[in-house]
Structure formats: structure tokens, C-alpha cells
Amino acid sequence: MDAVIDFINLQRDRYIDELKSYLAIPSVSALPQHTGDVRRCAEWTADELRRIGLQNVRLIETPGNPVVYGDWLGRNDAATILFYGHYDVQPVDPVDQWQSPPFEATVRDGEIYARGAADDKGQIFMHFKAIEAHLKQSGSLPCNIRIFIEGEEEVGSAHLDDFVRSHKSELAADVLVISDSPMFERGIPSICYGLRGIAYFQIDVRGTSTDLHSGSFGGAVANPAFVLAQMLAQMKDRGGRIKIPGFYDDVRELRLEEREQFRRLPFNETKYRKDLGAPKLFGEAGYTTLERVWARPTFEVNGLLSGFTGEGSKTVIPATAMAKVSMRLVPNQNPDKIADQFEAYVKKIAPKTVAVKLTRFQSGQPWMTDFDNVYVQAAARAIERGFGKAPVFNREGGSIPVVSTFQQELNIPAVLFGIGLPDENAHAPNEKLDLTNFHNGVIATAYLYEEIGRLDGAR
Ligand code: BES
Ligand code: MN
Ligand code: MN
């Protein structure tokens, strides 16, 4: 093992150069003009899996973007990891707010800045480098591994449920490992045991067939921007509670012990507020901030568009208004049921003065797991060896839709070991990854394979 760690310590600069090439590919899954780049990124990923010494490397087609697969199954007696991640990234807009171009990775103050640095290319690359170190130093891995990297996570993994169901034997493993989340805090590594689910909609409101002079027609017709605002205002009460009938029916209440665990975490609410630049925090009454973001559902407006928004003024009644909205869900809420309840509520509150159209986008199940299993313990030891500090256990507010599918279809434990940071700017301008965390992460991951290799496989 020492040789593996020495190897990693000597390769620091090469890792950064290679990661830069990976980050240079604009694999934005949401935008059709990047379809070619997305495929090129899948191919780069596959080539990398071959370079580091994996076997059976190939692209597997889906109705959408290809999945990249590779494995190393040379240890009949040891456990098998299924490693999941995504090579697609979020759009970069507003691009003028980036301090360096999003697809020209730039190192500043020990952090590498680029779209995908933390979410998720940097984190999957950490695993590639740990695999490479083992294979180059000893010609083998301490455990078996199947690598499964998809290209549609950032648009909801629509094709992955079917894919997992129809490729179960290729995915057979003892434990699922994912690195696609931030750690609790700089200097405080963590293992994540819960994610929120999601239901996403676009609301289109039409008032009239064309924009109107607001003097000639103002007063005679409903204004769709106003109607949309009124409908949105009916989604939550002043205490932040969501008013969609039935919305909370299946919400699993926080247990007292879990609330106490959250409270013991070194969370500084004032610093949190200041870092966000918020004058005052807001959320559902009766819950702490960590409870609100990890264990309570939300309703958010993600985008809002109507009327004249240019410089100066224009007297107009817009013909249409549009909003993108999403709900983050917690166990045991079901995204389809929530989506039905939302649609019914919108139909109920929509006035007859406008036409309202709802479009359903991606959804994802919430996920939560026990963390008293040997794999999580192995990961905790590996993290302590790599970071010099034992991890804390946390939940997260984000969503990785396929995790609950893996759980249901493969019925194996999951270890979510992320090395991002809360201020990594994922999905925002100036996304970054701390290079010390990356480097310690490669070491921790190399140890993780060793620790898991010591456990018996049930394959
Ligand atoms: N890596 C994130 C998920 C995540 C975010 C986990 C924060 C833990 C903390 C993932 O790439 C992501 O952004 N998922 C989307 C899913 C959506 C598009 C269905 C999300 O959460 O918005
Ligand atoms: Mn991600
Ligand atoms: Mn993401």
C-alpha cells in the first residue's frame, strides 16, 4: 500500500494536467448544441478507463447519452464495488460572471476552477487516479470494481431506470460507491446518508393572443404576469409551509435522535448566512437550517419570465408569463403523487381569465439509508486515513435520481463519499474544486479499495 500512496504523491501535477483536459470538454447535457461534445466526453472517459488499466471498457447506448462502462474483476474472493458518477455538466450561464472561462480550467489559490470541477468530473477523476495507482503499482486492485458513468444526470437521468433494470447482471456488486456531493465543511469530511427527491414543472400562462397596449386595454383583461404571481403566492404560507393539499401526507418526520445528531454538527448559522450574502435566512417555521435543507421538502421558483424587462419602460400587458418551479422531496414522498397533487392544485387555483399549461420535467425519488454496515465503516476508516480526520454523517438537499433505483433494483448498501465543499459553486459561475481535497481524496479512495478488499464479497 505504501508504494501506491507514494505513487499518488508523485503524480500530483500530472493529475491536474489530465483533469484540465477532461474539464475542457463542454459536456452540457441540457443544451442540444453540445450533443457532440457530450459524446466526445463519453469517449474521453472510456479512453481514460482504458489508460488506467480497466477491462471491458465500452460505451453502452441508451435512448439518450451513452453510459461509459469498464470493470476489473480479478479477485474472486473479494467484494465488488459498483461506482456511479456522471460526465455531463450543467450549463455555464451567466457566462460573464466567470472569472476564467468555464472550459479552460484555471488554478487559483489551490482550487481548480471550471464547469464540472466538483460536479462531477473532478470527483470521478479521483477514483480513476486511485484505480490507476493500484493497477500501475501492483498490477491488481484489492477489490473488484465496475465503473458506470452516465451522461444525463444533470437533466434527470430519464433513461437510467430502464437501463439499470435491463443491465442488472452487468451491475451486480456488493456495494454502490458515489462521489458526487460536497463534504460537510472545509476540514470536515463526511459520508452522506440521505438525498432529497425532486419534481419539476414549467407553468405557462396565456392571457391574450398578443401583447397589448396597457393604456388601451389595461383594466379589461387579466394580466398573466400578475395571475402567475398570485398563483405562486398561493404555494406557500408566510411560515414557509407548502399549501398544496396532501403535500405533507407522506413526509417522514425527523426522529428526535436525528435532530440531535444534526445539532451536534459544527454548523455556524451566522457564517452560513454571511457566506450566502442573505440579509436574513428564511425557511419552514419550527425547523433548523440543516433540518430545512436536508430533511424537509421545499417548493421553489427556479425561473420567472414575463413582459418587458429591458432598459427603460414600456407600457404593455404581456400576452404570456412563464415560471419554472420545483419541489424537493423527502422520504417517503413519491414524486409522481406529488406531481399529481401539484397539477390538481394549480387547476383549482387558476382563474378562468387565463389559459394555464403545465409541463412535467424530470423527477427523482428521495433516498435515505442506514449507515451501520461494514462498507460505510470501511469508508470511514479510509477517509480518516486519507484526510487525517474521521468523517461526520450528514444528509444533503440535492438529488441524484438513480440512487434509489440502484437501491431498489440491486438491493445493495451505498456509500456516498463526496469531496466537494459547500462553497464549490456547483451549477453556478466559478465552480471549483479544492486541490488538496482532491489529492487527499485520491489517497482516501485508494485506501477505500483496500478496506473494501478486506471484506468478503457476496457476489
Ligand atoms: N451532484 C448533484 C447532487 C447533489 C447536490 C448531491 C448537492 C448532494 C448535494 C447532482 O449533479 C445534481 O445536481 N442533481 C440535480 C438533479 C436534478 C437535475 C434532477 C439536482 O439536485 O438538482
Ligand atoms: Mn453531480
Ligand atoms: Mn449537478
Side-chain angles (χ1 to χ4, degrees):
M1 205 51 206
D2 288 352
V4 173
I5 304 304
D6 289 346
F7 177 86
I8 293 170
N9 281 325
L10 288 172
Q11 306 295 316
R12 224 183 153 117
D13 295 340
R14 175 175 65 89
Y15 291 168
I16 296 170
D17 288 341
E18 291 175 3
L19 179 56
K20 282 182 177 170
S21 317
Y22 201 14
L23 294 170
I25 309 170
S27 50
V28 182
S29 51
L31 302 173
Q33 67 264 37
H34 285 295
T35 308
D37 297 319
V38 169
R39 182 160 290 269
R40 189 154 60 84
C41 192
E43 270 151 16
W44 196 100
T45 308
D47 288 341
E48 170 69 8
L49 296 188
R50 289 186 196 102
R51 277 193 293 272
I52 63 176
L54 289 180
Q55 297 163 358
N56 300 310
V57 176
R58 59 186 186 273
L59 301 197
I60 310 180
E61 296 302 329
T62 74
N65 299 329
V67 161
V68 185
Y69 177 87
D71 62 29
W72 190 91
L73 304 169
R75 285 202 185 264
N76 282 325
D77 50 339
T80 302
I81 294 175
L82 173 63
F83 175 73
Y84 163 83
H86 60 95
Y87 64 81
D88 65 323
V89 300
Q90 285 273 328
V92 297
D93 55 283
V95 70
D96 54 301
Q97 285 179 31
W98 286 77
Q99 282 169 30
S100 50
F103 297 110
E104 282 172 37
T106 307
V107 176
R108 289 194 295 276
D109 299 331
E111 320 235 28
I112 187 161
Y113 286 80
R115 173 58 86 231
D119 186 10
D120 180 27
K121 286 176 181 167
Q123 300 203 57
I124 60 182
F125 197 68
M126 160 183 104
H127 283 263
F128 300 166
K129 294 301 104 174
I131 292 169
E132 180 188 62
H134 276 291
L135 288 177
K136 293 266 147 43
Q137 281 306 300
S138 56
S140 66
L141 281 171
C143 60
N144 302 299
I145 193 159
R146 298 176 189 275
I147 300 282
F148 176 99
I149 313 289
E150 71 146 317
E152 295 185 294
E153 197 277 342
E154 298 292 10
V155 287
S157 304
H159 302 106
L160 231 51
D161 285 2
D162 285 347
F163 186 94
V164 171
R165 286 189 197 108
S166 58
H167 290 79
K168 274 196 197 177
S169 60
E170 274 149 296
L171 302 175
D174 299 290
V175 58
L176 173 69
V177 173
I178 301 179
S179 292
D180 188 23
S181 49
M183 47 196 230
F184 179 71
E185 182 63 76
R186 198 176 281 275
I188 308 181
S190 55
I191 292 177
C192 170
Y193 67 93
L195 294 165
R196 290 196 288 193
I198 189 167
Y200 201 115
F201 279 91
Q202 177 168 328
I203 312 174
D204 284 286
V205 179
R206 178 170 283 281
T208 51
S209 52
T210 181
D211 286 2
L212 299 171
H213 190 295
S214 68
S216 309
F217 300 98
V221 291
N223 181 320
F226 207 80
V227 169
L228 180 58
Q230 284 173 324
M231 289 190 347
L232 292 174
Q234 290 175 72
M235 293 295 160
K236 275 188 199 175
D237 69 16
R238 285 175 158 267
R241 211 175 149 83
I242 294 149
K243 287 164 64 175
I244 301 166
F247 186 83
Y248 289 95
D249 284 358
D250 300 325
V251 170
R252 195 194 299 168
E253 280 300 325
L254 271 154
R255 284 176 302 110
L256 198 63
E257 306 91 84
E258 200 178 12
R259 298 188 97 164
E260 273 159 16
Q261 275 171 36
F262 286 10
R263 225 165 269 134
R264 280 197 294 271
L265 290 170
F267 178 70
N268 182 333
E269 184 144 315
T270 309
K271 180 177 181 299
Y272 180 87
R273 181 185 66 71
K274 285 191 177 148
D275 286 349
L276 296 182
K280 190 173 189 296
L281 295 178
F282 172 74
E284 188 185 358
Y287 295 92
T288 66
T289 295
L290 290 183
E291 290 168 357
R292 287 168 177 171
V293 293
W294 292 349
R296 297 297 298 170
T298 62
F299 181 101
E300 294 299 343
V301 178
N302 300 113
L304 203 52
L305 194 69
S306 184
F308 178 69
T309 55
E311 265 178 62
S313 67
K314 181 185 183 201
T315 47
V316 65
I317 298 176
T320 60
M322 187 274 276
K324 310 249 184 196
V325 302
S326 63
M327 292 152 269
R328 293 284 170 172
L329 311 176
V330 300
N332 299 320
Q333 286 177 299
N334 175 302
D336 294 329
K337 184 173 167 189
I338 293 291
D340 290 343
Q341 289 170 341
F342 171 74
E343 281 185 357
Y345 185 52
V346 169
K347 282 195 186 111
K348 193 178 134 220
I349 64 176
K352 294 202 166 54
T353 51
V354 295
V356 177
K357 187 177 130 214
L358 291 177
T359 310
R360 271 190 208 201
F361 286 110
Q362 67 268 47
S363 66
Q365 301 274 351
W367 168 82
M368 196 165 147
T369 186
D370 295 331
F371 49 93
D372 56 351
N373 62 65
V374 290
Y375 296 101
V376 171
Q377 285 154 14
R381 287 192 299 273
I383 292 168
E384 184 158 7
R385 291 167 82 185
F387 286 82
K389 197 157 185 181
V392 299
F393 290 88
N394 67 324
R395 284 164 75 169
E396 282 290 345
S399 312
I400 306 177
V402 76
V403 179
S404 78
T405 313
F406 279 133
Q407 188 97 63
Q408 278 162 27
E409 298 297 323
L410 307 176
N411 196 23
I412 52 175
V415 176
L416 270 65
F417 152 50
I419 56 124
L421 285 173
D423 68 351
E424 69 193 9
N425 297 324
H427 297 201
N430 305 308
E431 179 177 349
K432 63 183 179 185
L433 181 69
D434 182 288
L435 287 170
T436 303
N437 284 345
F438 171 78
H439 193 75
N440 291 340
V442 177
I443 294 172
T445 305
Y447 283 129
L448 176 68
Y449 301 157
E450 191 209 21
E451 293 278 358
I452 287 181
R454 291 199 189 133
L455 307 171
D456 292 332
R459 197 156 56 94

